[in-house]
Protein backbone atom coordinates (compact mmCIF):
# COMPACT_ATOMS: atom_id res chain seq x y z
CA UNK A 1 0.00 0.00 0.00
CA UNK A 2 1.10 3.55 -0.67
CA UNK A 3 2.14 5.59 2.38
CA UNK A 4 -0.53 7.81 3.87
CA UNK A 5 0.03 11.46 3.01
CA UNK A 6 -0.23 13.63 6.11
CA UNK A 7 -0.46 17.31 5.19
CA UNK A 8 0.82 19.39 8.11
CA UNK A 9 -0.55 22.93 8.27
CA UNK A 10 0.37 25.61 10.78
CA UNK A 11 -3.15 26.45 11.89
CA UNK A 12 -4.71 29.80 12.71
CA UNK A 13 -7.42 31.44 14.78
CA UNK A 14 -8.75 32.78 11.48
CA UNK A 15 -11.31 30.26 10.20
CA UNK A 16 -10.40 31.09 6.58
CA UNK A 17 -7.04 29.39 7.11
CA UNK A 18 -8.39 25.93 7.90
CA UNK A 19 -11.10 26.25 5.23
CA UNK A 20 -8.44 26.97 2.60
CA UNK A 21 -6.24 24.09 3.78
CA UNK A 22 -9.17 21.68 3.54
CA UNK A 23 -10.03 22.98 0.05
CA UNK A 24 -6.47 22.31 -1.08
CA UNK A 25 -6.54 18.81 0.42
CA UNK A 26 -9.81 18.08 -1.40
CA UNK A 27 -8.15 19.04 -4.67
CA UNK A 28 -5.20 16.78 -3.89
CA UNK A 29 -7.56 13.88 -3.20
CA UNK A 30 -9.37 14.48 -6.48
CA UNK A 31 -6.06 14.32 -8.37
CA UNK A 32 -4.83 11.15 -6.63
CA UNK A 33 -7.72 9.02 -5.39
CA UNK A 34 -5.23 6.16 -4.91
CA UNK A 35 -3.53 8.02 -2.05
CA UNK A 36 -5.04 8.43 1.40
CA UNK A 37 -4.64 12.06 2.45
CA UNK A 38 -5.05 13.31 6.02
CA UNK A 39 -4.65 16.78 7.51
CA UNK A 40 -3.13 17.79 10.84
CA UNK A 41 -2.47 21.20 12.39
CA UNK A 42 0.42 22.33 14.55
CA UNK A 43 -1.68 24.83 16.50
CA UNK A 44 -5.11 26.44 16.89
CA UNK A 45 -7.09 23.93 14.78
CA UNK A 46 -8.02 20.27 15.06
CA UNK A 47 -7.13 17.57 14.43
CA UNK A 48 -3.63 18.01 15.79
CA UNK A 49 -0.71 16.35 14.03
CA UNK A 50 -0.10 14.14 17.06
CA UNK A 51 -3.75 13.14 17.17
CA UNK A 52 -3.77 12.11 13.51
CA UNK A 53 -0.56 10.10 13.94
CA UNK A 54 -1.96 8.25 16.94
CA UNK A 55 -5.18 7.47 15.05
CA UNK A 56 -3.25 6.14 12.06
CA UNK A 57 -1.12 3.93 14.29
CA UNK A 58 -4.24 2.59 16.03
CA UNK A 59 -5.66 1.65 12.61
CA UNK A 60 -2.56 -0.34 11.79
CA UNK A 61 -1.07 2.12 9.31
CA UNK A 62 2.70 1.78 9.13
CA UNK A 63 4.00 4.16 6.43
CA UNK A 64 3.41 7.90 6.46
CA UNK A 65 4.78 10.77 4.40
CA UNK A 66 4.53 13.97 6.46
CA UNK A 67 4.39 16.98 4.18
CA UNK A 68 4.85 20.48 5.63
CA UNK A 69 2.34 22.85 4.04
CA UNK A 70 4.99 25.54 3.88
CA UNK A 71 6.60 27.54 1.08
CA UNK A 72 10.09 27.88 2.59
CA UNK A 73 12.35 25.90 4.91
CA UNK A 74 12.13 28.12 7.97
CA UNK A 75 11.69 27.39 11.68
CA UNK A 76 8.52 25.29 11.40
CA UNK A 77 10.04 22.96 8.80
CA UNK A 78 13.41 22.72 10.52
CA UNK A 79 12.34 22.48 14.18
CA UNK A 80 8.62 22.36 15.01
CA UNK A 81 7.56 19.63 12.60
CA UNK A 82 10.54 17.31 13.21
CA UNK A 83 9.91 17.64 16.96
CA UNK A 84 6.28 16.58 16.57
CA UNK A 85 7.22 13.68 14.31
CA UNK A 86 9.80 12.42 16.80
CA UNK A 87 6.98 11.97 19.31
CA UNK A 88 4.90 9.86 16.91
CA UNK A 89 3.95 6.29 17.84
CA UNK A 90 7.05 4.13 17.33
CA UNK A 91 5.35 1.66 14.98
CA UNK A 92 4.97 4.37 12.31
CA UNK A 93 7.63 4.77 9.63
CA UNK A 94 7.53 8.48 8.85
CA UNK A 95 9.33 10.33 6.09
CA UNK A 96 9.24 14.12 6.09
CA UNK A 97 8.78 15.53 2.58
CA UNK A 98 10.32 18.76 1.42
CA UNK A 99 8.44 22.06 1.66
CA UNK A 100 6.55 23.19 -1.42
CA UNK A 101 8.82 25.97 -2.60
CA UNK A 102 10.56 26.93 -4.66
CA UNK A 103 8.97 25.47 -7.78
CA UNK A 104 8.18 26.70 -11.30
CA UNK A 105 4.64 25.47 -10.73
CA UNK A 106 4.25 27.98 -7.91
CA UNK A 107 5.32 30.78 -10.27
CA UNK A 108 2.59 29.59 -12.61
CA UNK A 109 0.14 29.73 -9.71
CA UNK A 110 1.22 33.30 -8.94
CA UNK A 111 0.63 34.23 -12.58
CA UNK A 112 -2.79 32.59 -12.41
CA UNK A 113 -3.79 34.63 -9.38
CA UNK A 114 -2.63 37.90 -11.01
CA UNK A 115 -4.59 37.15 -14.18
CA UNK A 116 -7.65 36.29 -12.10
CA UNK A 117 -7.25 39.70 -10.41
CA UNK A 118 -7.48 41.50 -13.76
CA UNK A 119 -4.07 41.49 -15.42
CA UNK A 120 -3.38 39.84 -18.78
CA UNK A 121 -0.19 38.40 -20.30
CA UNK A 122 0.01 41.59 -22.38
CA UNK A 123 0.44 43.58 -19.15
CA UNK A 124 3.60 41.74 -18.04
CA UNK A 125 6.21 43.96 -19.66
CA UNK A 126 4.75 47.13 -18.14
CA UNK A 127 3.75 45.80 -14.70
CA UNK A 128 5.91 45.68 -11.61
CA UNK A 129 5.06 42.95 -9.12
CA UNK A 130 5.59 42.76 -5.38
CA UNK A 131 6.22 39.18 -4.29
CA UNK A 132 4.82 39.52 -0.78
CA UNK A 133 5.59 36.71 1.66
CA UNK A 134 4.86 36.28 5.35
CA UNK A 135 8.49 36.85 6.35
CA UNK A 136 10.90 34.96 8.56
CA UNK A 137 13.86 35.43 10.88
CA UNK A 138 15.60 32.61 9.01
CA UNK A 139 18.10 34.10 6.52
CA UNK A 140 17.83 31.03 4.28
CA UNK A 141 14.09 31.59 3.87
CA UNK A 142 14.58 35.29 3.13
CA UNK A 143 17.23 34.49 0.52
CA UNK A 144 14.91 32.01 -1.16
CA UNK A 145 12.21 34.66 -1.57
CA UNK A 146 14.75 37.03 -3.15
CA UNK A 147 15.84 34.26 -5.52
CA UNK A 148 12.26 33.54 -6.52
CA UNK A 149 11.67 37.24 -7.24
CA UNK A 150 14.71 37.31 -9.55
CA UNK A 151 13.61 34.14 -11.33
CA UNK A 152 10.05 35.41 -11.77
CA UNK A 153 11.33 38.66 -13.24
CA UNK A 154 12.93 36.66 -16.06
CA UNK A 155 9.50 35.41 -17.17
CA UNK A 156 8.66 38.85 -18.54
CA UNK A 157 7.44 41.12 -15.76
CA UNK A 158 8.72 44.72 -15.83
CA UNK A 159 10.22 44.24 -12.36
CA UNK A 160 9.67 42.01 -9.33
CA UNK A 161 10.50 43.00 -5.77
CA UNK A 162 10.29 40.80 -2.67
CA UNK A 163 8.49 42.10 0.42
CA UNK A 164 7.69 40.70 3.85
CA UNK A 165 4.76 41.07 6.23
CA UNK A 166 6.93 40.45 9.31
CA UNK A 167 10.48 39.86 10.58
CA UNK A 168 12.22 41.30 7.50
CA UNK A 169 12.18 44.32 5.20
CA UNK A 170 10.96 45.80 2.94
CA UNK A 171 7.26 45.89 3.73
CA UNK A 172 4.70 45.53 0.95
CA UNK A 173 3.88 49.24 0.85
CA UNK A 174 7.54 50.19 0.50
CA UNK A 175 8.04 47.77 -2.40
CA UNK A 176 4.92 49.16 -4.10
CA UNK A 177 6.32 52.68 -3.88
CA UNK A 178 9.71 51.54 -5.18
CA UNK A 179 8.11 49.98 -8.26
CA UNK A 180 6.03 53.11 -8.82
CA UNK A 181 9.19 55.21 -8.64
CA UNK A 182 10.82 52.94 -11.22
CA UNK A 183 8.15 54.01 -13.68
CA UNK A 184 6.15 50.78 -13.95
CA UNK A 185 2.82 51.55 -15.63
CA UNK A 186 1.03 49.26 -13.19
CA UNK A 187 1.98 47.80 -9.81
CA UNK A 188 0.57 44.49 -8.62
CA UNK A 189 0.92 42.64 -5.33
CA UNK A 190 1.09 38.85 -5.41
CA UNK A 191 0.83 37.26 -1.94
CA UNK A 192 3.23 34.33 -1.75
CA UNK A 193 1.20 32.70 0.99
CA UNK A 194 -1.01 29.64 1.03
CA UNK A 195 -3.99 30.70 3.10
CA UNK A 196 -5.67 33.81 4.51
CA UNK A 197 -4.87 35.02 8.00
CA UNK A 198 -3.24 37.78 10.03
CA UNK A 199 -0.11 38.26 7.92
CA UNK A 200 -1.90 38.00 4.54
CA UNK A 201 -4.28 40.67 5.81
CA UNK A 202 -1.23 42.85 6.58
CA UNK A 203 -0.02 42.27 3.02
CA UNK A 204 -3.42 43.37 1.72
CA UNK A 205 -3.28 46.58 3.74
CA UNK A 206 0.20 47.25 2.37
CA UNK A 207 -1.17 46.89 -1.15
CA UNK A 208 -3.51 49.88 -0.75
CA UNK A 209 -1.56 51.96 -3.29
CA UNK A 210 -1.15 49.12 -5.80
CA UNK A 211 -3.29 48.76 -8.90
CA UNK A 212 -3.88 45.04 -8.46
CA UNK A 213 -3.96 42.71 -5.44
CA UNK A 214 -4.06 38.98 -6.16
CA UNK A 215 -5.61 36.35 -3.94
CA UNK A 216 -3.50 33.97 -1.87
CA UNK A 217 -2.33 30.80 -3.59
CA UNK A 218 -4.86 28.66 -1.76
CA UNK A 219 -6.14 25.54 -3.55
CA UNK A 220 -4.68 26.46 -6.93
CA UNK A 221 -4.20 23.33 -9.07
CA UNK A 222 -0.48 24.09 -9.39
CA UNK A 223 -0.11 24.01 -5.61
CA UNK A 224 -1.82 20.63 -5.45
CA UNK A 225 0.50 19.29 -8.15
CA UNK A 226 3.59 20.49 -6.29
CA UNK A 227 2.30 18.88 -3.14
CA UNK A 228 1.89 15.54 -4.90
CA UNK A 229 5.35 15.78 -6.45
CA UNK A 230 6.86 16.26 -3.00
CA UNK A 231 4.87 13.28 -1.74
CA UNK A 232 5.96 11.04 -4.62
CA UNK A 233 9.62 11.98 -4.15
CA UNK A 234 9.53 11.26 -0.41
CA UNK A 235 7.58 8.02 -0.86
CA UNK A 236 9.97 6.71 -3.54
CA UNK A 237 13.02 7.63 -1.48
CA UNK A 238 11.61 5.80 1.51
CA UNK A 239 10.67 2.72 -0.48
CA UNK A 240 14.18 2.59 -1.90
CA UNK A 241 15.64 2.64 1.61
CA UNK A 242 13.33 -0.14 2.69
CA UNK A 243 14.26 -2.24 -0.34
CA UNK A 244 17.98 -1.78 0.23
CA UNK A 245 17.74 -2.54 3.92
CA UNK A 246 15.77 -5.69 3.20
Amino acid sequence: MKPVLLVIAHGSRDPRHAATVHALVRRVRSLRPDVRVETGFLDFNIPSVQGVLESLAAEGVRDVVALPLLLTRAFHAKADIPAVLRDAPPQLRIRQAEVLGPSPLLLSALDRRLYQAGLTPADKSSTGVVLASAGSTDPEAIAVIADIAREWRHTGWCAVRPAFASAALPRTEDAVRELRALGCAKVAVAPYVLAPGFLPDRIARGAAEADVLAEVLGPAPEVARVLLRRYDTAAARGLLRLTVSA
Side-chain angles (χ1 to χ4, degrees), residues 130-135 142 161-176 178:
V130 178
L131 179 69
S133 75
I142 297 302
R161 295 289 185 272
F164 307 94
S166 67
L169 297 174
R171 294 287 183 257
T172 302
E173 53 269 33
D174 297 324
V176 168
E178 179 186 351

Coordinates of all heavy atoms in Angstrom, one line a residue, residues 130-135 142 161-176 178:
V130 N 5.1 43.0 -6.7 CA 5.6 42.8 -5.4 C 5.3 41.3 -5.0 O 4.1 40.9 -4.9 CB 5.0 43.7 -4.4 CG1 5.5 43.4 -3.0 CG2 5.2 45.2 -4.7
L131 N 6.4 40.6 -4.8 CA 6.2 39.2 -4.3 C 6.2 39.3 -2.8 O 7.2 39.4 -2.1 CB 7.4 38.3 -4.8 CG 7.4 36.9 -4.3 CD1 6.3 36.1 -5.0 CD2 8.7 36.2 -4.6
A132 N 5.0 39.2 -2.2 CA 4.8 39.5 -0.8 C 4.7 38.2 0.0 O 3.7 37.5 -0.1 CB 3.6 40.4 -0.6
S133 N 5.6 37.9 0.8 CA 5.6 36.7 1.7 C 5.4 37.1 3.1 O 5.4 38.3 3.5 CB 6.9 35.9 1.5 OG 7.9 36.5 2.2
A134 N 5.1 36.0 3.9 CA 4.9 36.3 5.4 C 6.1 36.8 6.1 O 6.0 37.6 7.0 CB 4.4 35.0 6.0
G135 N 7.3 36.4 5.7 CA 8.5 36.9 6.4 C 9.0 35.8 7.3 O 8.3 34.9 7.8
I142 N 14.6 34.0 3.7 CA 14.6 35.3 3.1 C 15.3 35.3 1.8 O 14.9 35.8 0.8 CB 15.2 36.3 4.1 CG1 14.4 36.4 5.4 CG2 15.3 37.7 3.4 CD1 12.9 36.8 5.1
R161 N 9.8 42.7 -7.0 CA 10.5 43.0 -5.8 C 9.9 42.1 -4.7 O 8.7 42.0 -4.5 CB 10.3 44.5 -5.4 CG 11.0 45.4 -6.4 CD 12.5 45.4 -6.2 NE 13.1 46.4 -7.1 CZ 13.5 46.2 -8.3 NH1 13.2 45.1 -8.9 NH2 14.1 47.2 -9.0
P162 N 10.8 41.5 -3.8 CA 10.3 40.8 -2.7 C 9.9 41.8 -1.6 O 10.4 42.9 -1.4 CB 11.5 40.0 -2.2 CG 12.7 40.8 -2.7 CD 12.3 41.5 -3.9
A163 N 8.9 41.3 -0.8 CA 8.5 42.1 0.4 C 8.0 41.1 1.5 O 7.7 39.9 1.2 CB 7.4 43.1 0.1
F164 N 8.0 41.6 2.7 CA 7.7 40.7 3.8 C 6.7 41.4 4.8 O 6.8 42.6 5.1 CB 9.0 40.4 4.6 CG 10.1 39.8 3.6 CD1 11.0 40.7 3.1 CD2 10.1 38.5 3.3 CE1 12.0 40.3 2.2 CE2 11.0 38.0 2.4 CZ 12.0 38.9 1.8
A165 N 5.8 40.6 5.3 CA 4.8 41.1 6.2 C 5.3 41.1 7.7 O 4.7 41.8 8.5 CB 3.5 40.2 6.2
S166 N 6.4 40.4 8.0 CA 6.9 40.4 9.3 C 8.4 40.0 9.3 O 8.8 39.4 8.3 CB 6.2 39.5 10.2 OG 6.4 38.1 9.8
A167 N 9.1 40.4 10.3 CA 10.5 39.9 10.6 C 11.6 40.3 9.6 O 12.7 40.2 9.9 CB 10.5 38.3 10.6
A168 N 11.2 40.9 8.5 CA 12.2 41.3 7.5 C 11.7 42.5 6.7 O 10.5 42.7 6.7 CB 12.6 40.2 6.6
L169 N 12.6 43.2 6.0 CA 12.2 44.3 5.2 C 12.6 44.0 3.8 O 13.5 43.2 3.5 CB 12.9 45.6 5.7 CG 12.5 46.0 7.1 CD1 13.4 47.2 7.6 CD2 11.0 46.4 7.2
P170 N 11.9 44.7 2.8 CA 11.0 45.8 2.9 C 9.5 45.3 3.2 O 9.2 44.1 2.9 CB 11.0 46.5 1.6 CG 11.3 45.4 0.6 CD 12.3 44.5 1.4
R171 N 8.7 46.2 3.6 CA 7.3 45.9 3.7 C 6.6 46.0 2.4 O 7.2 46.6 1.4 CB 6.6 46.8 4.7 CG 7.1 46.6 6.2 CD 6.5 45.3 6.7 NE 6.9 45.2 8.1 CZ 7.8 44.4 8.6 NH1 8.5 43.6 7.7 NH2 8.1 44.3 9.8
T172 N 5.4 45.5 2.2 CA 4.7 45.5 1.0 C 4.5 47.0 0.4 O 4.8 47.2 -0.7 CB 3.3 44.9 1.1 OG1 3.5 43.5 1.5 CG2 2.6 44.9 -0.2
E173 N 4.1 47.9 1.3 CA 3.9 49.2 0.8 C 5.1 49.9 0.3 O 5.1 50.7 -0.6 CB 3.2 50.1 2.0 CG 4.0 50.1 3.3 CD 3.5 49.0 4.2 OE1 3.1 47.9 3.7 OE2 3.5 49.2 5.5
D174 N 6.3 49.6 0.9 CA 7.5 50.2 0.5 C 7.9 49.7 -0.9 O 8.4 50.4 -1.7 CB 8.6 49.9 1.5 CG 8.4 50.6 2.9 OD1 7.8 51.7 2.9 OD2 8.7 49.9 3.9
A175 N 7.7 48.4 -1.1 CA 8.0 47.8 -2.4 C 7.1 48.3 -3.5 O 7.5 48.5 -4.6 CB 7.9 46.3 -2.3
V176 N 5.9 48.6 -3.1 CA 4.9 49.2 -4.1 C 5.4 50.5 -4.5 O 5.5 50.9 -5.7 CB 3.5 49.3 -3.5 CG1 2.6 50.2 -4.4 CG2 2.9 47.9 -3.3
E178 N 8.5 51.7 -4.4 CA 9.7 51.5 -5.2 C 9.4 51.2 -6.6 O 10.0 51.8 -7.6 CB 10.6 50.4 -4.6 CG 11.9 50.2 -5.4 CD 12.7 49.0 -4.9 OE1 12.3 48.5 -3.8 OE2 13.7 48.7 -5.6

